[in-house]
Amino acid sequence: MALTVVGSIAFDSVRTPFGERDRMLGGSAVHFALAARFFTSVQIVGPVGDDFGDDHLELLRERGIDTSDVERVDGGETFFWRGHYEADMNLAHTDDTQLGVFADFDPKLSDTSRAADVLFLGNIQPDLQRRVRAQADGSRLAALDSMNLWIQTTRDALVAAIAEVDCLLFNDSEIRMLTEEPNLARAARAVMEMGPRIVVAKRGEYGAVLFTPEGFFALPGFLLEDVRDPTGAGDSFAGGFLGYLDMQGTEDPSTEALRRAMAYGTVLASFNVEEFGTERVARLTEDEITERYEALRGMTHFESP
Ligand code: AMP
């Protein structure tokens, strides 16, 4: 039972209607790892510049995340993303993306990272995702996330990367953009024809829908009165979803396990949005996760058994 994640390790500058933060710890791999660590052992793969302080690596290590495959590039700059949200926080507006050390990154996975049962190819340039996928020959379940930037600029590489994974986790609008199919059920079917047998459409505060060859399963978001910053919610969802599946140790997850994984994804994402960046998930406890999981379970049973 082990999970490897590659994706951005970043500094994020974010403005929402509830405040702003400059150069806080972020990135798809960081948000994912902080959520997945509650379920399994996590190796994080990716480069950082020498502007990335030891305190950030220490924060990850203190929470049980293996950072031995984080490569520090002398003279390099850490990936940087600047974005903002309007009153509708379901849509992120990107103001700046600086690839920094990711522009020349040549991933070399350690034996431990290669042998992990579950692999998450977090949002990053799709050719990099493919190079990591080629090395992670131990993985039984490989999943991928991406974003509009890569659909628009590197579509062919992204489609090739998608063909090599079992599971795709995208925002619903990205699934439609990728497949050029406005109907979500048809778009999910079109993704399955590209390769993955499990498709998760994330829908911001409205929740997420799981598609498999057997059918679909939809869960609402855990509605909160205080939502401050949605950055990283998709990655926290993926961390809860795949972390739980890895903990189950199943090669071909049952419908029940996939539904529970959806609920854990929903719960982890809901904590993520309560505060800025990684602030809330970094100090989350197992008891808080269990309490919210039970609340979600209770609320979504529309009929007594
Ligand atoms: P999410 O809100 O879950 O979709 O992901 C937010 C995270 O994605 C932020 O922490 C950013 O650092 C990271 N991010 C934004 N744009 C990119 C990109 N083009 N490639 C990789 N990571 C990105």
Side-chain angles (χ1 to χ4, degrees):
M1 175 180 113
L3 198 159
T4 292
V5 53
V6 65
S8 50
I9 302 173
F11 288 130
D12 289 345
S13 291
V14 175
R15 178 166 48 84
T16 83
F18 302 96
E20 53 189 301
R21 297 283 190 282
D22 198 31
R23 292 179 70 80
M24 61 185 171
L25 174 64
S28 53
V30 168
H31 282 286
F32 177 91
L34 284 170
R37 71 182 158 119
F38 288 102
F39 305 90
T40 183
S41 55
V42 181
Q43 283 88 231
I44 183 168
V45 178
V48 295
D50 45 18
D51 51 353
F52 196 83
D54 275 337
D55 50 330
H56 295 311
L57 285 179
E58 202 44 45
L59 183 145
L60 299 173
R61 281 192 213 110
E62 277 170 0
R63 286 158 185 76
I65 298 161
D66 184 343
T67 62
S68 38
D69 276 359
V70 174
E71 196 184 312
R72 193 186 289 279
V73 181
D74 287 337
E77 285 187 7
T78 299
F79 183 102
F80 174 74
W81 179 73
R82 179 189 299 281
H84 72 273
Y85 303 82
E86 311 283 354
D88 174 1
M89 288 199 286
N90 290 305
L91 184 65
H93 300 275
T94 295
D95 302 315
D96 192 11
T97 304
Q98 303 283 339
L99 288 181
V101 288
F102 269 98
D104 301 311
F105 179 48
D106 182 19
K108 285 177 220 70
L109 271 62
S110 62
D111 289 346
T112 315
S113 291
R114 297 171 79 112
D117 307 288
V118 176
L119 174 69
F120 181 58
L121 302 169
N123 177 22
I124 197 65
Q125 218 277 352
D127 284 315
L128 276 177
Q129 294 180 314
R130 293 191 73 197
R131 268 144 67 194
V132 171
R133 176 73 185 103
Q135 291 178 42
D137 35 21
S139 76
R140 293 175 294 103
L141 183 72
L144 178 142
D145 184 17
S146 192
M147 72 182 291
N148 51 8
L149 173 70
W150 309 119
I151 299 172
Q152 285 155 351
T153 60
T154 53
R155 190 177 187 282
D156 291 349
L158 178 59
V159 170
I162 290 171
E164 294 165 357
V165 297
D166 311 289
C167 171
L168 179 125
L169 295 122
F170 266 33
N171 290 339
D172 55 354
S173 61
E174 293 161 353
I175 294 182
R176 293 188 176 102
M177 184 190 281
L178 173 74
T179 59
E180 295 175 351
E181 168 56 65
N183 176 282
L184 189 59
R186 286 177 189 272
R189 183 76 49 212
V191 171
M192 284 184 204
E193 282 161 17
M194 294 177 179
R197 62 181 192 280
I198 301 166
V199 177
V200 177
K202 298 171 284 177
R203 315 180 86 181
E205 69 179 307
Y206 305 112
V209 189
L210 166 79
F211 294 93
T212 63
E214 285 76 48
F216 73 89
F217 172 71
L219 260 191
F222 192 93
L223 282 181
L224 301 158
E225 296 200 2
D226 291 310
V227 175
R228 293 194 182 84
D229 172 22
T231 308
D235 301 302
S236 293
F237 182 98
F241 182 82
L242 291 170
Y244 176 77
L245 288 180
D246 188 27
M247 194 175 83
Q248 294 305 294
T250 48
E251 189 158 349
D252 196 11
S254 67
T255 303
E256 273 310 297
L258 284 167
R259 290 180 178 195
R260 276 188 238 114
M262 287 283 287
Y264 279 109
T266 301
V267 166
L268 268 296
S270 74
F271 282 113
N272 184 115
V273 303
E274 286 182 338
E275 292 176 27
F276 275 80
T278 59
E279 287 166 7
R280 183 68 181 95
V281 179
R283 61 159 214 284
L284 192 59
T285 66
E286 274 180 32
D287 285 349
E288 289 174 315
I289 294 173
T290 305
E291 191 184 328
R292 195 166 284 182
Y293 178 88
E294 290 305 327
L296 180 67
R297 204 160 67 96
M299 283 187 278
T300 51
H301 278 191
F302 63 90
E303 211 172 40
S304 307

